[in-house]
Amino acid sequence: MIILYSIGILGILALIYGLGLAFASKKFHVEIDPKIEKINEILPGVNCGACGHPGCLAYAEVIVGKNEEINKCAPGGDEVIQKIAEIMGIEASSAEKKIAVIHCQSGGFNNTFFRYKYHGIATCKAAILVSDGPNLCNFGCVYQHDCIEACKFDAIHLDENGMRIIDKEKCTGCGACVTACPRNLIELVSIKKRVHVLCSSHDKGAVSRKVCGNETACIACTLCVKKCPKEAIEMKDNLAVIIYDKCINCGQCADVCPTNAIFDPLKEVRAKKKAAAKAKADAAKKELEEKKEEETEKEETSKENKEKNNS
Amino acid sequence: MEFVAKIFAMAIAAIFVQNFVLMRFLGLCPYIGVSKKLDSALGMGMAVIFVMTMASTFTWLIQTFLLVPLKIEFLQTIAFILTIASLVQLVEMIIQKTAPALYKALGVFLPLITTNCAVLGVAILNINEKYSFIEAILNGFFAGLGFTLVLLLMAGIRERLDRAELPSSMRGMPIAMIVAGCMALAFLGFSGLKI
């Protein structure tokens, strides 16, 4: 009997509550804009915060509710922007893709000078607390891996020398590594800009040259500042800084840099292009000369023929 | 007059002497989790007052008119939890409709009132203390009031702590734990009150 009562009472209670809740959910139904749900589905869902909102759903809400710019999703890229534009019925103004650039070439096994061997907690933040970090350069990479840990897209990895390499394809420009690096070595730069000053040392030239294990410190010689045709390089506290808005990727600064602190990935491409252009010009010249020779030969033969005819 | 005096004594007991959070150590999850901002603490407190009062009402009725007559008191816990869970769902819907900002601020802690042991605690205490119907409702209300008071105090202190100069290792949770301990000690002082 008790079993029956138990089942009956709990069943009836549950039924009453269920019906009550069903009624309440109808009565207190909140209309949610279907656009928000659609946009939330399109967004990558990594909740990286690059757009400046706490998570993808929050971003979707402000797009619909407060007409927020739709080009702020860094991980999504152009594809996502186009899709959101379709839903919202507005023109897409595509965001310039930015990727992370590490402004230091030191920090590997072979190219770092160490003050002491660090055996503490394996994060950069902890390492730089111990007498300014294990590496001699007070501004350089400390050879722990906070940036790699911070990257949600597996876009930073180590090469055989223990150097951090940023994968251009995978990097979405979310900026997680920028905030993770305690030495502020990483910056988000438009993917179109290829020439970078890969040093962050504000030491004087003589000092930075000595402490840099890679021997690629900026020694503040100002050669690049003088060479730049667009005045796109500035000296800030003994460090050359490229003003990316003005930079045209010409690579002349990299050519004059005595320490190779300025890196120009297009150097080889440019050299090849130059060589090709030169070869082309040479070939054209040769052809011209050959033609001329042929013509003179023809003329000569025709002259000879004429002379023969005349005679 | 006697009734009023009894109610007054009950209020003092529920709010100070036998405070649910600091003396009975019930409902500690929202006490730590929702005490970062004064606004959301107030909202949470109001929600808990509502749920506790409603839960006291319904559970007393269920206990007296269903469980006792049928001699199935052993179902007390499960029946009470069922009731509380439904009430919390109801509150959640109402808040989402009427105050979306509060709904967002409370976040996951709103559904967590369901498993807030303070609510179940007050329901079971009402039965154990053999309160009458009116007394049970009032006890639920006062218990919620006590919870809200402590939550607000904690939120006020933590808002100030955010701006205080603390050693970095003490920031956030560690100092909150120490503050909670100090508050519990302070409330221990009320245990001498007898009316």
Side-chain angles (χ1 to χ4, degrees):
Chain A
M1 218 38 205
I2 281 181
I3 293 175
L4 279 181
Y5 281 149
S6 312
I7 295 170
I9 290 295
L10 277 187
I12 289 166
L13 275 181
L15 191 70
I16 293 170
Y17 292 147
L19 287 175
L21 283 180
F23 175 71
S25 75
K26 269 266 154 43
K27 181 146 193 187
F28 294 105
H29 182 65
V30 179
E31 286 282 345
I32 296 173
D33 199 325
K35 280 182 196 163
I36 294 177
E37 243 168 66
K38 268 190 195 167
I39 293 178
N40 190 39
E41 272 171 29
I42 288 168
L43 290 170
V46 286
N47 297 324
C48 65
C51 53
H53 299 283
C56 293
L57 182 62
Y59 183 45
E61 275 169 12
V62 290
I63 287 177
V64 176
K66 292 182 181 166
N67 290 327
E68 172 69 288
E69 299 267 335
I70 58 167
N71 58 6
K72 290 198 172 165
C73 183
D78 264 349
E79 209 179 313
V80 165
I81 294 169
Q82 294 295 343
K83 279 183 187 166
I84 297 176
E86 255 171 49
I87 293 173
M88 295 296 293
I90 48 176
E91 288 267 318
S93 56
S94 63
E96 208 168 41
K97 194 190 173 189
K98 286 185 166 185
I99 60 166
V101 173
I102 303 177
H103 289 292
C104 181
Q105 296 184 62
S106 182
F109 307 126
N110 311 321
N111 59 359
T112 316
F113 292 144
F114 290 105
R115 276 194 188 103
Y116 57 84
K117 214 164 185 194
Y118 178 72
H119 284 298
I121 303 162
T123 69
C124 306
K125 286 193 181 72
I128 63 167
L129 291 177
V130 186
S131 57
D132 280 342
N135 54 340
L136 262 184
C137 179
N138 284 343
F139 300 93
C141 179
V142 292
Y143 184 50
Q144 298 292 333
H145 308 127
D146 280 13
C147 49
I148 299 177
E149 307 257 316
C151 186
K152 285 181 185 171
F153 304 97
D154 194 28
I156 311 178
H157 45 85
L158 295 173
D159 69 359
E160 64 275 12
N161 289 321
M163 290 291 298
R164 281 135 294 274
I165 305 294
I166 290 179
D167 191 329
K168 280 201 192 81
E169 304 293 318
K170 286 182 182 167
C171 180
T172 61
C174 72
C177 52
V178 176
T179 43
C181 182
R183 289 243 151 118
N184 295 326
L185 295 173
I186 310 179
E187 188 190 0
L188 291 181
V189 181
S190 162
I191 197 164
K192 285 177 194 154
K193 307 293 177 186
R194 303 298 298 277
V195 183
H196 305 294
V197 179
L198 296 187
C199 178
S200 301
S201 170
H202 292 293
D203 277 329
K204 280 182 183 161
V207 181
S208 57
R209 194 199 281 270
K210 252 183 224 165
V211 296
C212 183
N214 202 36
E215 295 172 351
T216 52
C218 175
I219 53 171
C221 64
T222 70
L223 278 179
C224 49
V225 178
K226 289 169 193 156
K227 185 76 184 174
C228 182
K230 293 283 175 187
E231 294 179 355
I233 306 183
E234 261 186 349
M235 271 296 155
K236 281 184 187 164
D237 292 339
N238 297 321
L239 175 65
V241 179
I242 293 180
I243 305 161
Y244 285 106
D245 287 342
K246 295 184 186 170
C247 178
I248 53 165
N249 290 337
C250 71
Q252 292 184 37
C253 45
D255 289 338
V256 294
C257 184
T259 56
N260 287 330
I262 304 181
F263 177 65
D264 176 14
L266 305 173
K267 210 172 200 170
E268 284 175 19
V269 181
R270 262 191 214 109
K272 264 184 198 166
K273 262 190 189 170
K274 243 185 192 175
K278 212 184 173 187
K280 217 181 176 184
D282 285 350
K285 248 186 196 174
K286 257 186 193 171
E287 250 175 52
L288 264 179
E289 278 170 12
E290 275 171 17
K291 263 187 187 174
K292 265 185 187 174
E293 272 173 27
E294 269 176 32
E295 272 171 27
T296 45
E297 267 174 35
K298 269 183 191 172
E299 271 173 30
E300 275 169 21
T301 46
S302 61
K303 263 181 192 175
E304 275 171 24
N305 287 343
K306 269 182 191 173
E307 276 168 20
K308 269 181 191 172
N309 288 343
N310 286 345
S311 63
Chain B
M1 198 60 209
E2 203 179 300
F3 181 71
V4 176
K6 199 181 175 192
I7 296 298
F8 183 70
M10 214 167 70
I12 296 292
I15 297 174
F16 297 112
V17 184
Q18 290 292 327
N19 187 287
F20 268 77
V21 180
L22 294 177
M23 295 309 292
R24 293 192 202 266
F25 304 114
L26 295 170
L28 291 175
C29 170
Y31 173 59
I32 295 293
V34 200
S35 59
K36 278 189 195 120
K37 271 191 182 167
L38 216 49
D39 299 348
S40 50
L42 188 65
M44 182 74 180
M46 291 301 142
V48 169
I49 289 179
F50 180 76
V51 172
M52 274 189 171
T53 316
M54 297 298 282
S56 300
T57 316
F58 281 102
T59 50
W60 194 90
L61 289 174
I62 287 169
Q63 172 78 15
T64 320
F65 294 113
L66 285 178
L67 302 186
V68 173
L70 296 173
K71 294 194 176 126
I72 46 172
E73 289 100 329
F74 60 88
L75 284 176
Q76 196 187 47
T77 314
I78 194 164
F80 285 10
I81 286 181
L82 196 66
T83 313
I84 293 165
S86 315
L87 277 172
V88 170
Q89 282 297 315
L90 186 69
V91 172
E92 195 179 343
M93 282 176 202
I94 294 172
I95 289 184
Q96 194 180 7
K97 177 79 177 178
T98 53
L102 180 62
Y103 178 75
K104 260 190 194 166
L106 292 177
V108 72
F109 291 100
L110 193 56
L112 274 183
I113 303 177
T114 315
T115 48
N116 187 340
C117 41
V119 181
L120 184 62
V122 78
I124 291 178
L125 273 173
N126 283 338
I127 309 303
N128 288 358
E129 299 280 331
K130 299 200 170 64
Y131 283 141
S132 70
F133 184 52
I134 304 293
E135 282 172 344
I137 296 174
L138 286 172
N139 189 39
F141 177 70
F142 290 138
L145 222 54
F147 179 86
T148 310
L149 173 76
V150 171
L151 202 64
L152 283 180
L153 287 176
M154 185 69 170
I157 293 172
R158 283 183 73 179
E159 274 197 350
R160 289 214 170 182
L161 280 177
D162 274 351
R163 292 184 205 91
E165 280 185 30
L166 295 168
S168 55
S169 53
M170 292 296 281
R171 279 180 191 281
M173 263 318 148
I175 195 73
M177 291 291 169
I178 292 171
V179 168
C182 292
M183 282 178 71
L185 272 179
F187 268 71
L188 197 64
F190 287 121
S191 62
L193 271 177
K194 276 269 159 61
I195 297 171

